[in-house]
Amino acid sequence: MTGHVTGQTQENKRLRSVVKGVGSALPRRCVTNRELEKEVETSDEWIVQRTGITQRYIAGEGETTSTLGAAAARAALAKANLAPEDIDLIICATSTPDYTFPSVATMIQAELGVTGGVAFDLQAVCAGFVFAVATADKFLTSGSHKRALVIGAETFSRIMDWSDRTTCVLFGDGAGALVLEAQEGTGANADRGVLTSHLRSDGRHRAKLYVDGGPSTTGTAGHLRMEGKEVFRFAVGHVTDVMTDSFAATGLTADDLDWFVPHQANQRIIDASAQKLHIAPHKVVKTVQSHGNTSAASIPLALAVACEDGRIKPGDLVMIEAIGGGFAWGAALIRW
Ligand code: UT7
């Protein structure tokens, strides 16, 4: 055990943000690589080999970030056996809001019929969901709020340049949500809830992954631009920092993990990150093959799949981790 362990040996009563339910929503239309081949100069073989992606979901008429987010939130509330009025905090992580304002979170709040508490969006691109979990945890463990809906919702298909084959084959749309509830814990690692979270950002890398428009510059939504190789290199090189920090803060190790649920951008990034930290392959949850990269929605979508199929169970130790535009990156350890 290392010298900077917190909470493992001492029993300090403290609030924990405990997972009560998880839900997700996908657009109606699923687009396979084979279908994309007809529109884009690409091949199923190239996409699978370089990324692991075989299909993605693309939002159609009437489907937006807020409609997908609201559907995911409803599903999470149903799993938690809670009603909209039980929620006093809604954080929606998104980079593809329905409108510049109001926030998607307030649109979801209205859609669900939540009239109390606070709702706001958080933008940290692909790391958005980890940032939102960390933020909600700080609200809940301070005692200021009781139950949070933490949502990751995106429609990246709407900011794709469909003539750019280096990006348009990678992304998809969808939403996922967690209900977190403040509960008293003992302060030990055996507590259920968020045990620790670690966030980082470094704005010097803006040009490697960005959108070339916005309300204050072009007055348009713009299109996603990416230097894929550079992002790949940075992701594999740096994202393990925040995971190592999470282990150091708790005294837990990769062997203690039951599940590793990383951002789903590329199978090769996922495998390389897991390998670097000696996380056994059977503990890695991968959904990139069926969802593509759904940015802030990718982790809650993967969590929903792994809870639904019975892999993640109460008491399991789960590591979530993501990196994306900014760059911004983060990790959190959650006892389910
Ligand atoms: O969520 C966080 C943000 N995003 C990411 O994490 C993505 C990070 N980057 C990646 O996942 C990978 O870098 C990519 C999947 C984007 C690209 O893989 P790569 O192995 O780095 O390929 P590359 O960019 O070096 O391209 C290799 C070749 C090029 O051809 P030449 O120059 O070698 O002749 C590309 O023109 O593949 C070509 N290419 C394609 N071919 C068929 C690029 N896109 C495509 C395509 N279909 N869609």
Side-chain angles (χ1 to χ4, degrees):
M1 204 184 286
T2 52
H4 38 265
V5 172
T6 56
Q8 181 146 44
T9 48
Q10 290 163 291
E11 302 271 307
N12 298 321
K13 277 199 173 171
R14 52 159 294 176
L15 287 170
R16 295 286 200 189
S17 308
V18 174
V19 176
K20 298 286 288 178
V22 51
S24 65
L26 289 162
R28 290 180 295 271
R29 181 168 167 237
C30 176
V31 179
T32 63
N33 292 349
R34 292 266 179 239
E35 282 172 85
L36 264 191
E37 279 177 0
K38 294 177 200 150
E39 316 282 325
V40 181
E41 199 197 329
T42 189
S43 68
D44 175 54
E45 194 193 2
W46 188 94
I47 302 172
V48 171
Q49 254 181 23
R50 303 283 173 144
T51 70
I53 298 165
T54 63
Q55 60 172 45
R56 75 286 294 137
Y57 291 82
I58 303 288
E61 213 184 316
E63 292 175 321
T64 66
T65 297
S66 74
T67 67
L68 293 167
R74 255 199 205 98
L77 280 174
K79 290 281 182 206
N81 217 5
L82 289 168
E85 56 267 27
D86 297 321
I87 298 297
D88 56 3
L89 172 65
I90 301 175
I91 305 179
C92 183
T94 188
S95 303
T96 46
D98 294 32
Y99 301 99
T100 302
F101 71 81
S103 66
V104 173
T106 54
M107 293 176 77
I108 293 172
Q109 186 190 31
E111 176 61 30
L112 296 179
V114 178
T115 51
V118 61
F120 60 89
D121 285 359
L122 184 157
Q123 203 263 60
V125 204
C126 296
F129 187 75
V130 181
F131 276 54
V133 166
T135 305
D137 182 48
K138 291 181 199 307
F139 272 77
L140 295 179
T141 58
S142 77
S144 68
H145 292 75
K146 183 79 185 127
R147 284 189 208 89
L149 261 171
V150 184
I151 303 161
E154 303 278 18
T155 45
F156 261 53
S157 66
R158 305 231 157 106
I159 55 163
M160 282 300 116
D161 173 352
W162 286 95
S163 67
D164 176 9
R165 69 174 184 170
T166 69
T167 53
C168 73
V169 303
L170 305 174
F171 292 87
D173 303 333
L178 279 190
V179 177
L180 294 177
E181 182 178 85
Q183 290 182 9
E184 200 160 277
T186 64
N189 285 333
D191 282 351
R192 288 190 64 204
V194 177
L195 300 181
T196 192
S197 61
H198 300 268
L199 308 179
R200 295 273 322 269
S201 38
D202 186 343
R204 288 174 298 175
H205 302 281
R206 173 192 175 275
K208 293 181 183 121
L209 177 52
Y210 66 101
V211 168
D212 64 5
S216 183
T217 49
T218 58
T220 62
H223 292 114
L224 181 143
R225 306 290 172 205
M226 177 165 71
E227 289 178 33
K229 247 191 184 8
E230 289 298 314
V231 178
F232 191 106
R233 205 169 287 143
F234 190 91
V236 174
H238 287 77
V239 81
T240 44
D241 298 359
V242 282
M243 298 195 264
T244 307
D245 289 348
S246 303
F247 289 135
T250 53
L252 293 164
T253 70
D255 288 340
D256 297 314
L257 285 186
D258 293 292
W259 303 107
F260 175 48
V261 188
H263 172 46
Q264 309 284 319
N266 184 319
Q267 192 168 295
R268 292 187 293 143
I269 297 177
I270 295 172
D271 292 342
S273 308
Q275 220 170 11
K276 228 174 133 181
L277 284 184
H278 307 290
I279 298 170
H282 70 271
K283 294 181 177 178
V284 183
V285 174
K286 281 188 223 172
T287 49
V288 65
Q289 66 283 0
S290 41
H291 298 153
N293 180 350
T294 57
S295 189
S298 90
I299 291 175
L301 274 166
L303 289 171
V305 167
C307 287
E308 198 60 41
D309 68 19
R311 272 180 286 176
I312 300 178
K313 294 176 292 301
D316 282 355
L317 184 66
V318 178
M319 163 89 79
I320 61 171
E321 160 273 305
I323 184 162
F327 292 139
W329 66 107
L333 275 171
I334 307 170
R335 173 85 56 199
W336 216 254

